[in-house]
Amino acid sequence: MNVRSFNNMSRFQEKREQSVNKLIGVGLSLFATQGYEATSIRTIAAEADISLGLLYNYFKSKDELLEEIFRRGVQDIHDSFSDLPDNGSSSTGIERHIRQTVKLLKEKKDFWKLLHGIRMQSAVVKQLMADMQEQTAFIEARIKQNLITAGIPFPDLEAKLLFASIDGMAHHFLLYENYPIDDVASLLIMKYKK
């Protein structure tokens, strides 16, 4: 393979990646604002300014696009919680977890709107159920470990309660424009400080 062929292939891959990322961004935005069921694959292609045929070259269906959006969102979550830095601060793992959740909610609001919206759509949930259960188990295990480290009694049940509290906080943040998420997060953190 000569240099020219390699450069052409590299540009092709770069263009392909840009198109896929654009479709994912547009799909995520439309699914979050209009709803998954109400968004057509044609609308996604038109909004992304990509032909329908090219969209189908990248994704076989709207379901496959949703799966890729979800996969990337889950990867972002795992990456952000994998190695929460201690920063030598006096904050607990629970505090860092809550603050990281708030940060992710703010940075990836459309993803979280989509996730919270599809949880109530049985057909969509069925196709993503295994991934959603795996994600929930991952987060719950992180919370439980932080509770054990903090010496909180009944860490199994407490992890479920804290997870539900964080989930409720996230839900309200997504529903209400001026929800005081930082204040609510600080109050929740105070409940776990010794």
Side-chain angles (χ1 to χ4, degrees):
M1 177 179 292
N2 63 34
V3 174
R4 178 182 254 167
S5 295
F6 180 77
N7 285 340
N8 285 340
M9 235 170 60
S10 180
R11 276 183 277 192
F12 172 77
Q13 280 300 108
E14 187 176 308
K15 179 107 173 99
R16 179 179 172 79
E17 191 173 313
Q18 287 172 349
S19 295
V20 167
N21 288 337
K22 188 171 189 180
L23 287 167
I24 288 170
V26 168
L28 173 58
S29 178
L30 290 172
F31 292 158
T33 56
Q34 297 180 6
Y36 177 76
E37 295 297 333
T39 303
S40 73
I41 201 81
R42 284 188 186 285
T43 303
I44 295 166
E47 287 288 318
D49 198 27
I50 291 175
S51 73
L52 191 58
L54 188 56
L55 182 148
Y56 280 118
N57 187 41
Y58 301 133
F59 300 101
K60 293 176 187 155
S61 65
K62 184 169 79 165
D63 291 347
E64 191 174 283
L65 176 59
L66 176 66
E67 288 169 9
E68 180 60 18
I69 290 168
F70 187 75
R71 188 194 66 72
R72 288 184 180 200
V74 166
Q75 189 59 51
D76 286 346
I77 294 165
H78 280 264
D79 291 348
S80 71
F81 286 118
S82 290
D83 295 310
L84 279 177
D86 193 337
N87 295 339
S89 70
S90 61
S91 65
T92 64
I94 297 164
E95 179 177 353
R96 288 190 305 275
H97 183 96
I98 292 169
R99 294 212 186 279
Q100 184 64 21
T101 299
V102 170
K103 181 177 180 251
L104 276 173
L105 282 165
K106 290 177 177 178
E107 290 174 356
K108 310 276 184 174
K109 195 169 187 176
D110 278 348
F111 172 76
W112 292 102
K113 279 184 178 180
L114 172 63
L115 183 62
H116 277 254
I118 65 171
R119 290 193 313 184
M120 301 304 170
Q121 298 175 30
S122 62
V124 177
V125 170
K126 282 179 187 172
Q127 85 186 48
L128 296 175
M129 187 57 79
D131 289 335
M132 291 174 76
Q133 288 173 337
E134 182 181 314
Q135 178 62 19
T136 298
F138 171 79
I139 293 171
E140 235 178 71
R142 294 294 302 217
I143 292 171
K144 180 181 171 185
Q145 188 54 52
N146 288 330
L147 292 166
I148 290 169
T149 301
I152 305 293
F154 311 109
D156 284 322
L157 287 175
E158 197 66 41
K160 292 184 183 318
L161 178 62
L162 180 53
F163 185 68
S165 297
I166 292 170
D167 193 52
M169 177 182 70
H171 189 74
H172 281 79
F173 172 71
L174 298 171
L175 282 176
Y176 305 112
E177 190 66 34
N178 294 316
Y179 184 74
I181 192 165
D182 293 313
D183 294 337
V184 172
S186 293
L187 182 61
L188 188 56
I189 290 164
M190 286 173 37
K191 293 188 177 289
Y192 291 94
K193 290 217 174 193
K194 287 188 176 186

